[in-house]
Amino acid sequence: MTGTNRDVLRVPGFRRLAFAWVFSNFGDSVLFLTAAIWVKQLTGSDAAAGLVFAALGLPALLAPFTGRIADRYRRRPLLIFNNLAAGVVVLALLAVRDVSSVWLVYTVIPVYAVSSYITGAAQSGLLRDLLETRLLAPANGILSSIDQGLRIISPLAGAAILALWGMDPVVLLASGCFLTAALVLATLKLAETVHLPDAAESFWHSTTAGIRFMARHPLLGRALLTLGIAIGATGILNVTVFATVEQGLGRPPEFLSILLGVQGAMAVLGGVTASLVIRRIGVRSCMVLGVFLLSAGVLGTALTFLPLVLAAAAAAGAGASWLIIAFVTLRQTETPPGMQGRTAAVTQVMVNLPQVAASMLAAVLIGILPYQVLVTAMGAGCLLAAAPLLSRRARSHTPDDTDSDNGNAAAATTTAPAPPS
């Protein structure tokens, strides 16, 4: 039986991990949007500001390697070192004063973005070692709610600080958050599992093990395909939403913040309620429901009636949260402890790269086709994403049916428990 939010909050180790996540996530979120605004101020160029987001996205290509790092070494010390390194690296932004030194931004941002991928991969393994299986869903829901909540608050805080006092206080705040997260993680105590690779296993074979494992798994492979298609399709929304606001609703561009606020608030609520939904209908059905809600939310942005568009934003926020949390819980449950980092890395790639590709395609097509056509195509793509999970094989393969298989897979992966520290 899936546990509740109250159950997982009773675990002292999880409370410490969540507390550290608040700081590292705030430091991450406060910097990424503010850095783009700052570059726009320094250069006056939209293209230069856009390159900041490209610099943030490129490290997704390195996710298989960061996943291997998360599985090869003890994760708690790795997370501590990773946050310390991020806190030091971002201080280099204090040297940026004018256009001539903007290159430092494009150097620092990818490095700190890599640290966020390492954090995601290593934290997945820590959760698996720290919690009973039944507590993974509420734990992922709480961490997701923290993430979504801070994505609403911290960019606004960063932009306000930038406007009032400049970029230096933003950099110092982000650095302080990363360093604080490292200090909190230093107090965490647990017994870890560490993957010990076969001496005959090549570097490339070890790095790509997560991809092969998920592709061969009778349910995870299908669930990953669903996730990639659904979240990838929403990348078009990053472009069409401006047309929704200006052409469909006749509102100024600033109104977009209202839609994003509604979507973000419902994403937070979706995180809090995800374990309840999973407990009632199961993890696979929760993913399917999330896809349907996300599809409805996407299609709703083609409408011109404000209450329906706001309802669509709410549906998209809740649907995306349920979809992602259910998938992450399924992945953690079905993946052997020594492969958690690498399968987490595969998930990061499947969430980020299709979305970026869809956004680039939409940026080209928006000048050729009416935005309603793109929205309809995107909504249809989201609906089709549910198909892999509705197949007979997917319906017959549930986590409860695979406990023995999962145990065999774990036994086949050489793991060594690290001593508590």
Side-chain angles (χ1 to χ4, degrees):
M1 174 68 73
T2 299
T4 65
N5 295 338
R6 185 176 298 178
D7 291 336
V8 75
L9 287 173
R10 290 195 184 105
V11 180
F14 175 75
R15 293 200 300 268
R16 290 175 186 267
L17 189 63
F19 192 46
W21 178 240
V22 170
F23 283 101
S24 64
N25 201 292
F26 188 90
D28 186 10
S29 299
V30 78
L31 197 58
F32 82 93
L33 179 60
T34 313
I37 298 172
W38 183 39
V39 169
K40 168 67 175 177
Q41 291 177 347
L42 290 173
T43 65
S45 168
D46 291 333
L51 283 176
V52 173
F53 295 113
L56 281 165
L58 282 176
L61 298 173
L62 300 176
F65 302 98
T66 57
R68 184 178 186 276
I69 291 172
D71 283 339
R72 183 64 183 86
Y73 302 100
R74 289 180 58 198
R75 291 162 182 138
R76 188 187 73 100
L78 178 62
L79 278 175
I80 294 171
F81 174 79
N82 186 55
N83 278 283
L84 289 174
V88 172
V89 165
V90 298
L91 291 176
L93 294 175
L94 296 174
V96 179
R97 286 290 175 263
D98 51 38
V99 176
S100 65
S101 51
V102 165
W103 64 270
L104 262 175
V105 178
Y106 300 122
T107 303
V108 170
I109 291 297
V111 174
Y112 114 86
V114 168
S115 77
S116 69
Y117 281 99
I118 294 176
T119 294
Q123 184 169 272
S124 175
L126 276 186
L127 279 177
R128 195 69 184 93
D129 287 339
L130 186 64
L131 301 173
E132 302 173 43
T133 299
R134 70 184 191 90
L135 297 180
L136 289 175
N140 289 318
I142 290 171
L143 294 178
S144 176
S145 293
I146 292 171
D147 180 26
Q148 294 297 332
L150 291 179
R151 285 181 183 275
I152 298 173
I153 297 169
S154 52
L156 296 176
I161 294 171
L162 175 65
L164 292 172
W165 301 294
M167 190 63 183
D168 286 1
V170 178
V171 173
L172 293 173
L173 175 60
S175 177
C177 285
F178 289 128
L179 296 177
T180 302
L183 291 175
V184 174
L185 288 167
T187 67
L188 181 65
K189 299 182 184 298
L190 78 162
E192 298 182 49
T193 53
V194 180
H195 174 63
L196 300 177
D198 189 334
E201 186 179 40
S202 68
F203 174 83
W204 182 250
H205 190 271
S206 175
T207 301
T208 58
I211 300 173
R212 294 194 307 276
F213 173 80
M214 297 183 80
R216 294 169 182 170
H217 193 283
L219 183 55
L220 269 181
R222 288 169 170 76
L224 183 64
L225 184 59
T226 292
L227 183 73
I229 295 173
I231 301 300
T234 62
I236 298 176
L237 195 62
N238 294 336
V239 177
T240 61
V241 69
F242 294 100
T244 295
V245 170
E246 295 183 280
Q247 299 176 35
L249 298 175
R251 306 278 176 150
E254 293 78 9
F255 189 77
L256 177 60
S257 62
I258 303 297
L259 291 183
L260 295 180
V262 171
Q263 181 178 327
M266 287 305 297
V268 172
L269 183 60
V272 173
T273 58
S275 62
L276 174 62
V277 176
I278 292 172
R279 188 162 62 250
R280 293 290 178 84
I281 66 176
V283 68
R284 184 187 65 85
S285 296
C286 183
M287 284 192 68
V288 173
L289 178 59
V291 169
F292 287 156
L293 277 177
L294 185 58
S295 303
V298 166
L299 290 170
T301 63
L303 303 175
T304 57
F305 185 49
L306 179 58
L308 291 179
V309 174
L310 290 174
S321 284
W322 288 352
L323 169 62
I324 293 173
I325 291 167
F327 174 82
V328 170
T329 301
L330 174 67
R331 178 189 58 74
Q332 289 172 333
T333 302
E334 296 292 290
T335 302
M339 205 178 287
Q340 289 286 330
R342 284 167 289 179
T343 56
V346 175
T347 304
Q348 291 170 332
V349 172
M350 285 298 290
V351 167
N352 289 297
L353 291 187
Q355 195 171 42
V356 171
S359 296
M360 294 173 64
L361 177 62
V364 174
L365 295 178
I366 194 69
I368 304 172
L369 299 172
Y371 80 93
Q372 295 93 338
V373 173
L374 294 179
V375 168
T376 302
M378 176 173 52
C382 280
L383 281 174
L384 289 174
L389 289 178
L390 296 175
S391 67
R392 180 178 299 177
R393 188 177 183 189
R395 291 199 307 270
S396 65
H397 190 96
T398 66
D400 288 338
D401 294 332
T402 60
D403 284 344
S404 58
D405 294 337
N406 193 38
N408 293 337
T413 303
T414 307
T415 57
S421 54

